[in-house]
Amino acid sequence: MENVSLQEGQVPDLRVNIGSLELANPVMTASGTFGYAREFENLMNLHRLGAVIVKGISLHPRAGNPPQRIMETACGMLNAIGLQNVGVDRFITEKMNYLAGLNIPVIVNILGDSLAEYEEITKRLAGVPGVAGIEVNISCPNVKKGGVAFGTDPAMAAAVTAAVKNKADVPVMVKLSPNVTDITLIARAVEQAGADSISLINTLIGMGIDLKTRRPVLANVIGGLSGPAIKPVALRMVFEVARVVSIPVIGIGGIESAEDALEFMLAGATAVQIGTANFVNPRASEDVVDGISAYAANEKLTSIRSIIGGLRLDSLKDHATSSHNPVAK
Amino acid sequence: MENVSLQEGQVPDLRVNIGSLELANPVMTASGTFGYAREFENLMNLHRLGAVIVKGISLHPRAGNPPQRIMETACGMLNAIGLQNVGVDRFITEKMNYLAGLNIPVIVNILGDSLAEYEEITKRLAGVPGVAGIEVNISCPNVKKGGVAFGTDPAMAAAVTAAVKNKADVPVMVKLSPNVTDITLIARAVEQAGADSISLINTLIGMGIDLKTRRPVLANVIGGLSGPAIKPVALRMVFEVARVVSIPVIGIGGIESAEDALEFMLAGATAVQIGTANFVNPRASEDVVDGISAYAANEKLTSIRSIIGGLRLDSLKDHATSSHNPVAK
Amino acid sequence: MSQYQENATVTHVEQFTATNYRLTLDCPAVAGSARPGQFVMIRTGRGKDPLLRRPFSIHQTSRDGTIQIYFKVVGRGTDILAHVKKQETLSIFGPLGRGYRLNTGTPSVIVGGGLGIAPLLFLVQENCRVKKDCTEDLIVLGARERIEIEPLLDDFRPFGIRIMTATDDGSLGHHGFALGILESMQLPSGCTVYGCGPEPMLAGLSSFCASRGLPCQVSVESVMACGMGACLGCSRPDSKGNYTHVCLNGPVYNAEDLQWKM
Amino acid sequence: MSQYQENATVTHVEQFTATNYRLTLDCPAVAGSARPGQFVMIRTGRGKDPLLRRPFSIHQTSRDGTIQIYFKVVGRGTDILAHVKKQETLSIFGPLGRGYRLNTGTPSVIVGGGLGIAPLLFLVQENCRVKKDCTEDLIVLGARERIEIEPLLDDFRPFGIRIMTATDDGSLGHHGFALGILESMQLPSGCTVYGCGPEPMLAGLSSFCASRGLPCQVSVESVMACGMGACLGCSRPDSKGNYTHVCLNGPVYNAEDLQWKM
Ligand SMILES: Cc1cc2nc3c(=O)[nH]c(=O)nc-3n(C[C@H](O)[C@H](O)[C@H](O)COP(=O)(O)OP(=O)(O)OC[C@H]3O[C@@H](n4cnc5c(N)ncnc54)[C@H](O)[C@@H]3O)c2cc1C
Ligand SMILES: Cc1cc2nc3c(=O)[nH]c(=O)nc-3n(C[C@H](O)[C@H](O)[C@H](O)COP(=O)(O)OP(=O)(O)OC[C@H]3O[C@@H](n4cnc5c(N)ncnc54)[C@H](O)[C@@H]3O)c2cc1C
Ligand SMILES: Cc1cc2nc3c(=O)[nH]c(=O)nc-3n(C[C@H](O)[C@H](O)[C@H](O)COP(=O)(O)O)c2cc1C
Ligand SMILES: Cc1cc2nc3c(=O)[nH]c(=O)nc-3n(C[C@H](O)[C@H](O)[C@H](O)COP(=O)(O)O)c2cc1C
Ligand code: FES
Ligand code: FES
């Protein structure tokens, strides 16, 4: 922790480092919630972002799921977009040009149904101007292993990470699925496999039912739960993971405001991603940057880095380490 | 499914069977959210309940966690009560008398840190007048296995179930923790170990941070997330479990209204439990009974049992069985 | 195309039926760039629940920088909007989507059913402004009963467009569907048809126009999270079997470009 | 003891300072059975967020079946309450908890700090009603500044109780804490002390009374989910090191029965 206090007239330093990647501030946009950034150009100042993470890209274009794809839930939403995207080649030719011109780090979220697919996408992204990092979505089903998600098994998660790392010429961020018994096992596995950073959480798996039609609301039956509803789960997992890995952790889940973002940083996140909030307030990510900046100035922090992992646990030691800790009731 | 239509003047039959236990209607109160029932006697008609499930009971009295124990979250709450309870002996002498007088099935929720504890509590409850069933909370840490929750490992979950079954003289309901990668594995394990029914979900593990003090809000650091926020996850898990077991499933999680309850029944629940909603509306469980009754009359259902598992999936088959089903994105 | 997020002050609240309301919102930026058929996303509450904005067609705009939305209470979000008071502010975001492509060289036949009337006032406004004389054009307004149409008639009359009405219960105009009127009459030759209304009506209108070779533009709905192409949630199969996104490629489509369930 | 869940109509909204409000609620059942020091749980919104009810002391009751709450805006729930309009309804549930045990045989010394004044009007009302003559009794009202106390004085005056005031900034009465007044004066001998206010003030009052051997009852706060003993969330260590539940065993305690952090 850097505890030097901000001097009169000084501006707080909002930069953070995700491995070799330096961000101007800790605020990124979460994959699948910010399109390919251009959608937002009229609504906020894209240059203010720490980084932009684009919609998940697969090897081949995917049409996605039939409608209904989304549904509102209490303080959240379910989505089953079905990974609709233009495929890596069209992404490079049609989308990267604009993105590269933004002069902010562009992180490409990738997904696949097999190790070979992850590898091949990474290969195609290598050397593409403007790509500053790769985020690996491991919540996808491994078709070879009966459709079990890569992200729910430490060995499979490690294998994907290693495969991508092997071909990548930019830092690799691995995005964890929260639908697991022990998130720290997956986190350690991907760290050991070479991940440069870990982002979490992806969506919780949920479902909605329409009582009138007696059918699932989503055509895909199940979907991913996001938004403020999941924030407590996300915060807990970020806290757990940040304690057991030494690579940077990026917090995601229900972040709507600078306060939310700062709580994730206290829990150990080096940076954060704004997801569902972009739908509610298209300026949300910029508002979070402003809020973090104001907080840092207010608290006279020379650098925002000083709050990373700064959660105070001292007075709680007795209970926090008691045998009851792992369970809440 | 019973498809006979209700005749003029007939009243819908709301009875459901949880194994050998017959309930007058599918509505129970969730453990830890209804005290020992007496707290609600002025606020609703307790006799209207399908069953009452009381606060979790351990072998010895437990003081519970230091404050702060609860915290509101977006559309939900976190609790870390720490299983405060009077212990099984005082429960029997001080609480059971009143409960037995209610003339509704009383299900005792039990918890322990070891198999021996679970066994011993069950033994002491055997033969106690008024105890109609036992609900086993397996979200508790197994102190012998380094504090890993019984409910997160199929073998341990099965062992607890078998231990309780072995001593119980009433039907045994096993309550699953949602904090697992594959809930169906646990469900099948406890079914094979002899569970008479399965209830789910217990709370998701979450955390809250106070930005001002930079401390966890809960003294226990982590807590259990409940309320409407978790309903989509609960509904999905009930749906998954109901498809793989043949014992009755009881749905829990964010149920506030009859509509919510009926959605769980469509997903495969034979009955439901009302938890956090009791705090918001102390008459919630009775309101749900009324609402289910009105729905059944409206839909001209001879028996509410006809909707259990009645979710229509026909037109969705193609997607629901596609390789993308297990993952939502 | 510019989009704006504004805090709009509610300047007028009108209740037409038990469930149908009209709000006037002061939002100069949105009003200034809106086109008929476009929509706005409105945040109905201040808290986190309901979380998502709700889409509403722009009912009409005025030079003083206001827009109107005309809506029906169907759930939580619209219920909250129905209770909004004058002078309160609502976060509004738009204008969004592709509106009607006005075919000013041909006669216009405009058909609205139920709440589908909402965007058509703006369309008539613009149609008649551009064409200067729209007395040869026709608008057919359909609804379940008289009270759903009557309060709006005064707003349509000043433009000089021919107005016909249809109600399911016969309480006003033709007894039956709006489409029934079209089927029973001689339409201006070479006309362009513009429609908005419930899905079955639009499906019927689409096949009606297809069989007569009339160009037909319809405004359709979809569940939306973002309203601006970011979430890919509002997909709908197009006539080629691909998914189109209603918020971006619609809500107004050439009817022939969409798949219709009959 | 009976408790009721009622839909209370708001009959009066008063704003005293930028943050302090008073609502009058028509809820005859709750009003009819309330005792001083008891509280109610109020649902601030209609939706699922904020989810939980908020606890408020009963500020006063009246024969016409109303109660008042006096509160400060500190977060989302109280912010919503501050925007409630006359004639709206709020779901209220109470009366809850154990209130003050009036010691009518001894002089009363009542001490309130900040929003801790809230339950004391009801206490004074009842104290003076039962005793008939309360001119020997004393209430000390403390706050940060004048405007937090002044608007309430008119409500306390009719009872005839002696009133003293203290403000942190000296803008009204004693310049300092309410407790400072007690320390500097001769208290009626054998008096019972009743207090409500911020935790440090109550801790100070508790040790003040303990050192003088005066019986002291204080009303304390805790985060609450249910307000009625069902959740066990509102625990607080008592003087024996056990947990007591503020909603059930409190909010009013004999000061000596609680643990105090000095
Ligand atoms: C481009 C567009 C323009 C629209 N313009 C208008 C308009 O001018 N006036 C008007 O009254 N309504 C309009 N709608 C529909 C309006 O958005 C919905 O009625 C509204 O979102 C419902 O919100 P709610 O919270 O009240 O209902 P909810 O509680 O969200 O849902 C209640 C019921 O309405 C259904 N519903 C929810 N959203 C939609 C939707 N987008 N389309 C169809 N059904 C839905 C739900 O499935 C549910 O059965 C438009 C929709 C779109 C996509
Ligand atoms: C028995 C009892 C009686 C009370 N009587 C009154 C009263 O007469 N007038 C009044 O203004 N307030 C009273 N309070 C406090 C009042 O309940 C809280 O201020 C209110 O719940 C805050 O709700 P919120 O949604 O505005 O704040 P939140 O957004 O929930 O929280 C805002 C801040 O207030 C703190 N806070 C929240 N709840 C409590 C609480 N119960 N106690 C202490 N701090 C809290 C939070 O930690 C947070 O820092 C009483 C509390 C109790 C337990
Ligand atoms: C509509 C939608 C689409 C998403 N698509 C992707 C995706 O393509 N790849 C991915 O890794 N995560 C995807 N996510 C997950 C988000 O990036 C994020 O992890 C999750 O929504 C939790 O954050 P939030 O609560 O801030 O939304 C998607 C989320 C939503 C709501
Ligand atoms: C304050 C509180 C205490 C609880 N205590 C217990 C308990 O003792 N035993 C148990 O099995 N579950 C306990 N639970 C979990 C509930 O029974 C229920 O499974 C969970 O809250 C989800 O349901 P809900 O969303 O309707 O509240 C508790 C929940 C809450 C909120
Ligand atoms: S509503 Fe989000 S893409 Fe159309
Ligand atoms: S607030 Fe629930 S027990 Fe006191």
Side-chain angles (χ1 to χ4, degrees):
Chain A
M1 281 216 239
E2 306 166 31
N3 278 318
V4 199
S5 193
L6 195 69
Q7 302 300 304
E8 186 81 15
Q10 248 186 302
V11 181
D13 178 4
L14 297 189
R15 286 171 307 169
V16 295
N17 295 295
I18 312 286
S20 61
L21 196 67
E22 180 177 288
L23 311 186
N25 66 63
V27 182
M28 311 184 232
T29 56
S31 178
T33 66
F34 207 67
Y36 300 106
R38 191 167 203 160
E39 292 83 350
F40 288 78
E41 66 182 359
N42 283 313
L43 292 155
M44 60 168 289
N45 186 347
L46 293 170
H47 308 288
R48 296 287 310 285
L49 287 173
V52 60
I53 303 184
V54 295
K55 174 74 193 158
I57 303 292
S58 52
L59 187 55
H60 305 295
R62 295 196 188 202
N65 287 327
Q68 184 164 339
R69 290 182 174 184
I70 51 173
M71 160 190 187
E72 193 179 67
T73 66
C75 291
M77 65 177 280
L78 285 168
N79 87 80
I81 305 301
L83 301 166
Q84 177 186 346
N85 77 96
V86 296
V88 66
D89 294 335
R90 278 180 56 200
F91 169 73
I92 293 170
T93 54
E94 295 173 17
K95 309 286 181 186
M96 262 318 293
N97 224 15
Y98 175 82
L99 287 163
L102 290 176
N103 279 325
I104 50 171
V106 175
I107 296 173
V108 183
N109 180 284
I110 66 167
L111 60 106
D113 285 339
S114 65
L115 288 184
E117 267 187 38
Y118 279 104
E119 254 178 0
E120 183 58 29
I121 307 168
T122 312
K123 232 162 75 184
R124 298 203 191 170
L125 287 171
V128 174
V131 175
I134 288 178
E135 182 181 52
V136 192
N137 178 354
I138 58 171
S139 300
C140 305
N142 182 340
V143 290
K144 298 234 172 82
K145 293 260 166 103
V148 174
F150 284 102
T152 58
D153 177 75
M156 289 202 294
V160 176
T161 307
V164 173
K165 252 321 256 190
N166 189 33
K167 302 285 178 221
D169 62 352
V170 288
V172 172
M173 181 186 294
V174 179
K175 182 167 179 180
L176 306 192
S177 161
N179 302 292
V180 296
T181 306
D182 186 347
I183 192 91
T184 65
L185 292 183
I186 316 281
R188 275 194 285 226
V190 305
E191 180 183 37
Q192 269 155 35
D196 298 295
S197 64
I198 288 175
S199 57
L200 74 168
I201 59 175
N202 212 317
T203 52
L204 287 167
I205 305 177
M207 177 176 177
I209 291 177
D210 184 332
L211 183 59
K212 280 200 212 91
T213 63
R214 298 196 184 175
R215 291 184 195 285
V217 174
L218 301 177
N220 189 56
V221 183
I222 58 169
L225 184 64
S226 64
I230 69 168
K231 186 185 142 194
V233 175
L235 206 52
R236 185 263 298 179
M237 289 191 167
V238 165
F239 174 72
E240 286 177 348
V241 167
R243 300 181 98 182
V244 300
V245 299
S246 45
I247 51 179
V249 171
I250 289 94
I252 324 169
I255 300 177
E256 286 194 326
S257 65
E259 288 70 32
D260 293 333
L262 291 160
E263 288 169 23
F264 275 87
M265 294 184 76
L266 286 175
T270 298
V272 297
Q273 296 179 19
I274 314 293
T276 302
N278 294 310
F279 306 153
V280 181
N281 169 15
R283 211 161 34 207
S285 49
E286 192 178 351
D287 287 353
V288 172
V289 175
D290 287 341
I292 290 178
S293 172
Y295 175 85
N298 231 7
E299 299 278 314
K300 304 213 188 312
L301 307 178
T302 343
S303 162
I304 196 68
R305 293 186 294 279
S306 66
I307 73 155
I308 298 169
L311 191 69
R312 296 191 181 134
L313 289 166
D314 35 296
S315 77
L316 295 163
K317 275 245 183 68
D318 350 333
H319 341 300
T321 57
S322 88
S323 70
H324 280 114
N325 184 30
V327 162
K329 197 69 354 52
Chain B
M1 282 218 240
E2 306 168 30
N3 277 316
V4 199
S5 191
L6 196 69
Q7 303 300 304
E8 187 80 16
Q10 249 186 302
V11 181
D13 178 3
L14 297 190
R15 287 171 306 169
V16 295
N17 295 296
I18 312 286
S20 62
L21 196 66
E22 180 177 290
L23 311 186
N25 65 63
V27 182
M28 312 185 228
T29 55
S31 178
T33 67
F34 206 67
Y36 300 105
R38 191 168 203 159
E39 292 83 352
F40 288 78
E41 66 183 357
N42 283 314
L43 292 155
M44 59 168 289
N45 186 347
L46 292 170
H47 308 287
R48 296 286 311 284
L49 287 173
V52 61
I53 303 183
V54 295
K55 174 77 193 157
I57 302 293
S58 52
L59 187 55
H60 304 295
R62 296 197 188 201
N65 287 325
Q68 183 165 340
R69 290 183 174 184
I70 51 173
M71 161 191 184
E72 194 179 68
T73 66
C75 291
M77 65 177 282
L78 285 169
N79 87 79
I81 305 301
L83 301 165
Q84 176 186 346
N85 77 94
V86 296
V88 66
D89 294 336
R90 277 181 57 200
F91 169 75
I92 293 169
T93 54
E94 294 174 18
K95 309 287 182 184
M96 263 318 293
N97 224 14
Y98 175 82
L99 287 162
L102 290 176
N103 278 326
I104 51 172
V106 175
I107 297 173
V108 182
N109 180 284
I110 66 167
L111 60 107
D113 286 337
S114 66
L115 289 182
E117 267 186 41
Y118 279 105
E119 251 178 2
E120 182 59 29
I121 306 167
T122 312
K123 232 162 77 183
R124 298 202 193 170
L125 287 170
V128 173
V131 174
I134 287 177
E135 182 182 51
V136 192
N137 179 356
I138 58 171
S139 300
C140 304
N142 183 340
V143 290
K144 298 234 173 82
K145 294 261 166 103
V148 174
F150 283 103
T152 59
D153 177 77
M156 288 201 297
V160 176
T161 307
V164 173
K165 252 322 257 191
N166 189 34
K167 303 283 177 224
D169 62 351
V170 288
V172 172
M173 181 186 297
V174 180
K175 182 167 179 181
L176 306 192
S177 160
N179 303 291
V180 297
T181 306
D182 186 347
I183 191 92
T184 65
L185 293 182
I186 316 280
R188 273 193 287 225
V190 305
E191 179 183 37
Q192 267 156 35
D196 298 295
S197 63
I198 288 175
S199 57
L200 74 166
I201 60 175
N202 212 316
T203 52
L204 287 166
I205 306 177
M207 176 175 178
I209 291 176
D210 185 332
L211 182 59
K212 280 200 212 90
T213 61
R214 298 196 183 174
R215 291 183 195 285
V217 175
L218 301 176
N220 189 55
V221 183
I222 58 168
L225 184 65
S226 65
I230 69 167
K231 186 185 143 195
V233 175
L235 206 51
R236 185 260 300 179
M237 289 191 166
V238 165
F239 174 71
E240 286 178 347
V241 167
R243 299 181 99 181
V244 300
V245 300
S246 45
I247 51 177
V249 171
I250 290 94
I252 325 170
I255 301 175
E256 287 193 327
S257 65
E259 287 70 31
D260 293 333
L262 291 160
E263 289 169 23
F264 275 87
M265 294 183 76
L266 286 174
T270 298
V272 296
Q273 296 179 17
I274 315 292
T276 302
N278 294 311
F279 305 154
V280 181
N281 169 15
R283 211 160 36 205
S285 49
E286 191 178 351
D287 287 351
V288 173
V289 175
D290 287 340
I292 290 177
S293 172
Y295 175 86
N298 232 5
E299 300 278 312
K300 304 213 187 315
L301 306 178
T302 342
S303 162
I304 196 68
R305 294 186 293 280
S306 65
I307 72 153
I308 298 169
L311 191 69
R312 295 189 182 137
L313 291 166
D314 36 296
S315 76
L316 296 163
K317 275 242 181 71
D318 349 333
H319 341 299
T321 56
S322 88
S323 70
H324 282 112
N325 183 32
V327 161
K329 197 70 353 50
Chain C
M1 214 176 43
S2 284
Q3 292 156 351
Y4 306 90
Q5 193 177 173
E6 284 185 280
N7 280 320
T9 304
V10 178
T11 61
H12 208 55
V13 180
E14 295 164 275
Q15 179 171 10
F16 291 147
T17 73
T19 58
N20 294 5
Y21 290 78
R22 187 159 72 176
L23 297 183
T24 308
L25 305 168
D26 187 22
C27 48
V30 174
S33 57
R35 304 285 311 142
Q38 287 191 300
F39 68 98
V40 293
M41 295 290 285
I42 298 185
R43 201 158 171 189
T44 60
R46 262 162 233 285
K48 297 172 201 283
D49 192 68
L51 183 68
L52 301 173
R53 290 168 182 265
R54 301 292 191 261
F56 296 96
S57 299
I58 300 170
H59 179 53
Q60 67 175 324
T61 62
S62 88
R63 296 236 179 86
D64 62 6
T66 64
I67 70 162
Q68 287 188 329
I69 61 165
Y70 171 56
F71 67 96
K72 181 183 183 131
V73 176
V74 299
R76 290 192 308 148
T78 45
D79 186 55
I80 297 173
L81 282 186
H83 287 90
V84 158
K85 305 242 158 42
K86 228 173 122 161
Q87 295 311 321
E88 286 184 33
T89 61
L90 290 173
S91 172
I92 179 173
F93 156 43
L96 298 162
R98 295 186 0 146
Y100 292 99
R101 271 75 65 187
L102 255 182
N103 215 337
T104 50
T106 69
S108 304
V109 171
I110 303 173
V111 192
L115 267 289
I117 297 175
L120 303 183
L121 183 56
F122 191 9
L123 178 63
V124 166
Q125 195 179 45
E126 188 62 9
N127 176 73
C128 298
R129 189 187 64 79
V130 174
K131 287 192 173 176
K132 298 210 170 69
D133 179 3
C134 61
T135 48
E136 293 307 300
D137 297 341
L138 169 68
I139 181 160
V140 183
L141 301 172
R144 265 179 311 182
E145 43 175 351
R146 182 187 203 106
I147 52 156
E148 290 175 50
I149 298 180
E150 206 155 45
L152 296 171
L153 287 177
D154 281 347
D155 288 292
F156 281 101
R157 284 203 187 97
F159 300 106
I161 193 170
R162 266 197 306 159
I163 304 173
M164 301 182 78
T165 56
T167 48
D168 296 358
D169 67 354
S171 54
L172 183 72
H174 171 73
H175 189 156
F177 292 152
L179 191 56
I181 295 190
L182 297 197
E183 275 161 351
S184 67
M185 73 183 287
Q186 177 82 39
L187 295 183
S189 77
C191 66
T192 303
V193 177
Y194 307 88
C196 184
E199 191 72 15
M201 172 193 133
L202 296 182
L205 188 64
S206 165
S207 84
F208 171 86
C209 292
S211 70
R212 282 162 184 76
L214 298 174
C216 177
Q217 295 176 26
V218 293
S219 175
V220 298
E221 292 192 1
S222 170
V223 176
M224 293 185 178
C226 72
M228 54 174 284
C231 74
L232 305 183
C234 59
S235 56
R236 184 187 165 114
D238 69 14
S239 54
K240 300 199 192 89
N242 297 322
Y243 291 124
T244 174
H245 292 288
V246 176
C247 74
L248 217 56
N249 309 115
V252 178
Y253 290 90
N254 291 323
E256 61 192 13
D257 293 339
L258 293 178
Q259 250 178 50
W260 298 100
K261 285 205 200 93
M262 291 298 163
Chain D
M1 216 176 42
S2 284
Q3 291 155 353
Y4 306 90
Q5 193 178 173
E6 282 187 281
N7 280 320
T9 304
V10 178
T11 61
H12 208 52
V13 180
E14 294 164 274
Q15 179 171 8
F16 292 147
T17 73
T19 57
N20 294 5
Y21 290 78
R22 185 159 73 175
L23 297 182
T24 308
L25 305 168
D26 186 25
C27 47
V30 174
S33 57
R35 304 283 312 142
Q38 286 190 300
F39 67 99
V40 293
M41 294 291 283
I42 298 185
R43 201 158 172 189
T44 61
R46 262 162 233 285
K48 296 173 200 284
D49 191 66
L51 183 68
L52 301 172
R53 290 169 182 265
R54 301 291 190 262
F56 296 95
S57 299
I58 300 170
H59 179 55
Q60 68 174 322
T61 62
S62 90
R63 294 237 179 87
D64 61 8
T66 64
I67 70 161
Q68 288 188 327
I69 61 165
Y70 171 57
F71 67 96
K72 181 184 184 130
V73 176
V74 299
R76 290 192 307 148
T78 45
D79 185 55
I80 297 173
L81 282 187
H83 287 90
V84 159
K85 305 244 157 43
K86 226 173 122 161
Q87 292 314 318
E88 286 183 32
T89 60
L90 289 173
S91 172
I92 179 175
F93 155 44
L96 299 162
R98 294 186 0 144
Y100 292 99
R101 272 75 64 191
L102 255 182
N103 216 337
T104 50
T106 69
S108 303
V109 171
I110 303 174
V111 191
L115 265 292
I117 297 176
L120 303 184
L121 183 56
F122 192 10
L123 178 63
V124 167
Q125 196 180 45
E126 188 64 8
N127 176 73
C128 299
R129 189 187 64 80
V130 174
K131 286 192 172 174
K132 300 214 170 64
D133 180 1
C134 60
T135 46
E136 294 306 301
D137 297 340
L138 169 68
I139 180 158
V140 182
L141 301 172
R144 263 179 313 180
E145 44 175 351
R146 181 187 203 107
I147 54 158
E148 290 176 49
I149 299 179
E150 204 155 47
L152 296 171
L153 286 177
D154 280 348
D155 289 293
F156 281 100
R157 285 204 186 97
F159 301 107
I161 193 170
R162 266 201 303 161
I163 304 174
M164 300 183 79
T165 57
T167 49
D168 297 359
D169 67 355
S171 54
L172 183 73
H174 171 72
H175 189 157
F177 291 153
L179 191 56
I181 295 191
L182 297 199
E183 275 160 351
S184 67
M185 72 185 284
Q186 177 80 41
L187 294 183
S189 75
C191 65
T192 302
V193 177
Y194 307 88
C196 185
E199 192 71 15
M201 171 192 133
L202 296 183
L205 188 65
S206 165
S207 84
F208 171 88
C209 292
S211 69
R212 280 163 185 77
L214 297 173
C216 176
Q217 295 175 26
V218 294
S219 175
V220 298
E221 292 193 0
S222 170
V223 177
M224 293 185 176
C226 72
M228 53 175 284
C231 75
L232 306 184
C234 59
S235 55
R236 184 186 167 114
D238 70 13
S239 54
K240 300 198 192 91
N242 298 322
Y243 292 123
T244 172
H245 292 287
V246 175
C247 74
L248 218 55
N249 308 116
V252 178
Y253 288 91
N254 291 323
E256 62 193 15
D257 292 341
L258 293 178
Q259 249 178 49
W260 298 100
K261 282 204 203 92
M262 290 299 162

